[in-house]
Amino acid sequence: MNGKAVRVGLIQMSCSTNPEENTEKAVARLREAARSGAQVVCLQELYRSQYFCRDEHPDLFDLAETVPGPSTEAFSTIAAENRIVIIVPIFEKRARGLYHNSAVVIDADGATLGIYRKMHIPDDPLFFEKFYFTPGDLGFRNFDTRYGRIATLICWDQWYPEGARVAALGGADIVFYPTAIGWHPAEKEQYGAAQRDAWQTIQRAHAIANGVFVAAVNRVGYEGPPYTGGQEKAGLEFWGTSFICDPFGQVMAQASTADEEILIAECDPAKAEEIRRNWPFLRDRRIDAYAPILQRWID
Amino acid sequence: MNGKAVRVGLIQMSCSTNPEENTEKAVARLREAARSGAQVVCLQELYRSQYFCRDEHPDLFDLAETVPGPSTEAFSTIAAENRIVIIVPIFEKRARGLYHNSAVVIDADGATLGIYRKMHIPDDPLFFEKFYFTPGDLGFRNFDTRYGRIATLICWDQWYPEGARVAALGGADIVFYPTAIGWHPAEKEQYGAAQRDAWQTIQRAHAIANGVFVAAVNRVGYEGPPYTGGQEKAGLEFWGTSFICDPFGQVMAQASTADEEILIAECDPAKAEEIRRNWPFLRDRRIDAYAPILQRWID
């Protein structure tokens, strides 16, 4: 962070099965966010489609795009025109048979700063991501944007303190989590509140542990019918709840569970400085004793 | 955990400046906890004294004790008599001029299973711990007790995801955090709620990230006058709020901010099993990419 406060924007929206439609919607929302003063804006995970991983079907690889490709082309222009940094989460085709769940960071002049490739890939009923995505091989990265140093991780990464820690140790002042998480309709009543609470709690904890701002953006809407002619399955109700919290985990702005929203909050490095002085966790880390973290299990 | 549910007990109490008095009170409360069915009981950090680290004075090293010593002697008997495991946090004198902030784990037959020595040592106004305690050199340990495998960390450790992670990778099913944390009276109104919330949030997040039960026990009461003839300083108001949460971060039992209480909750390994199956975070850790965690900072 270059010392000035950064206005962060998150675009929480629903998606159709039409990629061009989703891109057009995102473009319109980005312009609106820029008009509201946002400087670094993040779209939700796989913004360009519905969350197709609720099915496993080879045809769905058609949804992938290259970098550069349609998304970088569209948003590079928008970024430059509006002088905003944009984090664009895409289904990345890297080669024939090699795909990632990625986020492209576009600087405020329209230049592509780099890519983050989702490191932790889930695979659970209706979240069949291991079928589509090879785990990232670029590590946890920082990006020096016009408005400050940021990191982006993606969705399932948010359950791993290690990712946020490495991002923070690299100097990121804001950590973004584009996300696609929702309720199984059958589980919502019994477990829904606890799931959403755990999801927010662990991300707020990353802010606290690391003295960074955290900005998580999730989609909304029910996505039901399969993309392909496959068997009909229960759909997912995405729970929105996009939020931005300060480096002590206090939520500064939070969206609803069901509405499309543009969420904006100011992330002031002076606040991070103050919190890290008063709660100096980085000072006392026992790096001599953390090696077991590199093990799968201590048998 | 040996497959059976474990009844965890936490003793939240206030302390006087008289060590024998504090030990007697703790003994009485442990008996009461055992009568209520508790099987693994944890006392608060430095249970045997007031939180003397609000002063820096060489005379206060007189409060330290050896292992074995008065605390292990007292609680070994109580453990055996009541068939309970006791976690006893003490000011440990290891050698002349070498002291630790430690926790002794006593098994249900009265045998000392081992010691944990606080790894992360704070030092902030009224929490002058670096004057007294050498950082632990035993690492993050597990203890196989009669009622299951547990780990104990201490207070400031609770702000570090690494400690909880190593404890969990070692197989602990319950992680204890004996604690002494309170409000500066001058800060309470403005920051008090956020501080207590951050404190609980990050510990709940350790439960979520690792699929373990977390049990934190803090003292209550205002501790004002200095132990020694030194300059009068503002005191600390310890905020209690001892709690036990499940492996998804849901609080199962929570004490008040001001009263002495015995908190008991059942920690069932079946619940941990269910949560780890449905949210299988351990499956997907990227141990190939976590090495930067062993660095102080990525310059």
Side-chain angles (χ1 to χ4, degrees):
Chain A
M1 231 175 253
N2 56 13
K4 286 186 188 160
V6 180
R7 285 177 70 83
V8 165
L10 303 177
I11 311 293
Q12 170 172 304
M13 62 186 225
S14 63
C15 289
S16 76
T17 53
N18 181 328
E20 288 70 32
E21 213 171 270
N22 295 321
T23 300
E24 279 167 30
K25 190 195 272 193
V27 162
R29 300 292 159 82
L30 284 165
R31 288 202 167 108
E32 200 181 327
R35 279 196 300 274
S36 302
Q39 297 169 303
V40 180
V41 189
C42 186
L43 302 175
Q44 67 209 22
E45 184 182 16
L46 301 168
Y47 88 93
R48 198 164 169 262
S49 62
Q50 287 202 351
Y51 183 70
F52 56 86
C53 315
R54 61 183 194 267
D55 261 335
E56 282 196 11
H57 200 293
D59 287 355
L60 292 172
F61 286 102
D62 286 342
L63 292 169
E65 59 176 310
T66 55
V67 177
S71 286
T72 52
E73 196 176 321
F75 295 115
S76 169
T77 308
I78 303 302
E81 278 176 10
N82 296 276
R83 296 176 298 285
I84 56 174
V85 174
I86 312 178
I87 300 169
V88 186
I90 62 163
F91 182 14
E92 182 197 359
K93 180 170 188 170
R94 186 173 175 185
R96 206 171 286 129
L98 181 56
Y99 299 82
H100 296 283
N101 185 330
S102 303
V104 186
V105 180
I106 300 175
D107 208 357
D109 62 359
T112 293
L113 281 177
I115 302 176
Y116 169 75
R117 291 184 177 130
K118 186 173 182 174
M119 292 287 284
H120 303 95
I121 305 295
D123 201 273
D124 304 294
L126 299 188
F127 293 86
F128 302 110
E129 295 200 16
K130 289 193 196 294
F131 177 73
Y132 294 102
F133 310 125
T134 293
D137 56 353
L138 297 174
F140 305 102
R141 313 183 74 187
N142 274 240
F143 300 92
D144 279 314
T145 75
R146 180 180 296 182
Y147 303 111
R149 185 175 289 192
I150 64 167
T152 186
L153 298 157
I154 300 174
C155 202
W156 194 241
D157 292 326
Q158 63 212 171
W159 301 99
Y160 297 85
E162 292 92 342
R165 180 66 97 196
V166 176
L169 292 179
D173 283 309
I174 310 172
V175 176
F176 290 87
Y177 286 100
T179 296
I181 192 165
W183 291 299
H184 293 223
E187 290 182 3
K188 184 181 173 185
E189 194 180 329
Q190 189 177 354
Y191 301 111
Q195 290 173 356
R196 196 174 71 112
D197 179 56
W199 174 80
Q200 189 175 63
T201 297
I202 201 162
Q203 292 178 88
R204 290 174 53 219
H206 300 330
I208 298 165
N210 297 294
V212 296
F213 293 89
V214 165
V217 52
N218 189 26
R219 65 177 61 208
V220 286
Y222 179 78
E223 299 184 6
Y227 261 97
T228 58
Q231 189 191 338
E232 181 78 32
K233 289 176 184 154
L236 288 168
E237 182 185 339
F238 293 93
W239 69 49
T241 319
S242 301
F243 70 94
I244 303 166
C245 74
D246 76 12
F248 209 50
Q250 296 289 297
V251 174
M252 300 190 295
Q254 180 173 318
S256 71
T257 55
D259 296 330
E260 299 198 322
E261 291 188 43
I262 297 173
L263 205 65
I264 294 182
E266 189 170 278
C267 299
D268 188 344
K271 190 161 196 178
E273 179 71 27
E274 183 204 334
I275 288 168
R276 284 198 191 174
R277 286 186 188 196
N278 282 283
W279 297 87
F281 306 137
L282 292 177
R283 181 190 61 193
D284 299 325
R285 294 178 68 241
R286 292 296 304 272
I287 54 175
D288 59 312
Y290 295 159
I293 285 176
L294 307 185
Q295 290 179 238
R296 182 66 64 203
W297 186 255
I298 303 168
D299 294 291
Chain B
M1 232 177 255
N2 56 12
K4 286 188 188 162
V6 180
R7 285 176 69 84
V8 164
L10 303 177
I11 311 292
Q12 170 173 305
M13 62 186 224
S14 63
C15 288
S16 75
T17 53
N18 181 329
E20 288 70 34
E21 211 171 272
N22 295 320
T23 300
E24 279 167 31
K25 189 194 273 191
V27 162
R29 300 292 158 81
L30 283 165
R31 288 202 168 109
E32 200 182 327
R35 280 195 300 274
S36 301
Q39 297 169 304
V40 181
V41 188
C42 187
L43 301 176
Q44 67 208 21
E45 184 183 17
L46 299 169
Y47 88 93
R48 197 162 170 265
S49 63
Q50 286 202 353
Y51 183 70
F52 56 85
C53 315
R54 62 183 194 268
D55 260 335
E56 282 196 11
H57 200 292
D59 287 354
L60 292 172
F61 286 101
D62 286 342
L63 292 168
E65 60 177 309
T66 54
V67 177
S71 285
T72 52
E73 196 176 321
F75 296 115
S76 169
T77 308
I78 303 302
E81 278 176 9
N82 296 277
R83 294 175 301 283
I84 56 174
V85 174
I86 311 178
I87 300 169
V88 186
I90 62 163
F91 181 14
E92 183 198 358
K93 180 169 187 170
R94 186 173 174 186
R96 206 170 285 128
L98 181 56
Y99 299 82
H100 296 284
N101 186 329
S102 303
V104 185
V105 180
I106 300 175
D107 208 357
D109 61 359
T112 294
L113 281 178
I115 301 177
Y116 169 75
R117 292 186 176 129
K118 188 173 181 174
M119 293 287 283
H120 303 95
I121 306 295
D123 201 273
D124 303 296
L126 298 188
F127 294 86
F128 301 111
E129 295 200 16
K130 289 193 196 295
F131 177 73
Y132 294 102
F133 310 125
T134 294
D137 55 352
L138 298 174
F140 305 102
R141 314 182 74 187
N142 275 239
F143 300 92
D144 279 315
T145 74
R146 180 180 297 183
Y147 304 112
R149 186 175 289 192
I150 64 166
T152 184
L153 298 158
I154 300 175
C155 202
W156 194 240
D157 292 326
Q158 63 212 170
W159 302 98
Y160 297 85
E162 291 92 343
R165 179 67 98 198
V166 176
L169 293 178
D173 283 308
I174 310 173
V175 177
F176 290 87
Y177 287 99
T179 296
I181 192 165
W183 291 299
H184 292 223
E187 289 182 3
K188 184 180 173 186
E189 194 180 328
Q190 189 178 355
Y191 301 111
Q195 290 173 357
R196 195 174 72 111
D197 179 57
W199 174 80
Q200 189 174 63
T201 298
I202 200 162
Q203 293 178 88
R204 289 175 54 219
H206 301 329
I208 298 164
N210 297 295
V212 295
F213 293 90
V214 165
V217 53
N218 188 27
R219 65 177 62 208
V220 286
Y222 179 78
E223 298 185 7
Y227 261 98
T228 58
Q231 190 191 337
E232 180 78 31
K233 289 176 182 154
L236 288 168
E237 183 185 338
F238 293 92
W239 69 48
T241 318
S242 302
F243 70 94
I244 302 165
C245 74
D246 76 13
F248 210 50
Q250 296 289 296
V251 174
M252 299 190 294
Q254 179 173 318
S256 71
T257 56
D259 297 330
E260 299 197 322
E261 291 188 44
I262 297 173
L263 205 66
I264 295 181
E266 189 170 279
C267 299
D268 188 344
K271 189 160 196 180
E273 179 72 28
E274 183 203 334
I275 289 169
R276 286 198 190 174
R277 285 186 188 196
N278 282 284
W279 296 88
F281 305 137
L282 291 176
R283 181 190 61 193
D284 299 326
R285 294 178 68 240
R286 292 297 304 272
I287 54 175
D288 60 311
Y290 295 159
I293 285 177
L294 308 185
Q295 290 180 237
R296 181 66 65 204
W297 187 254
I298 304 168
D299 295 290

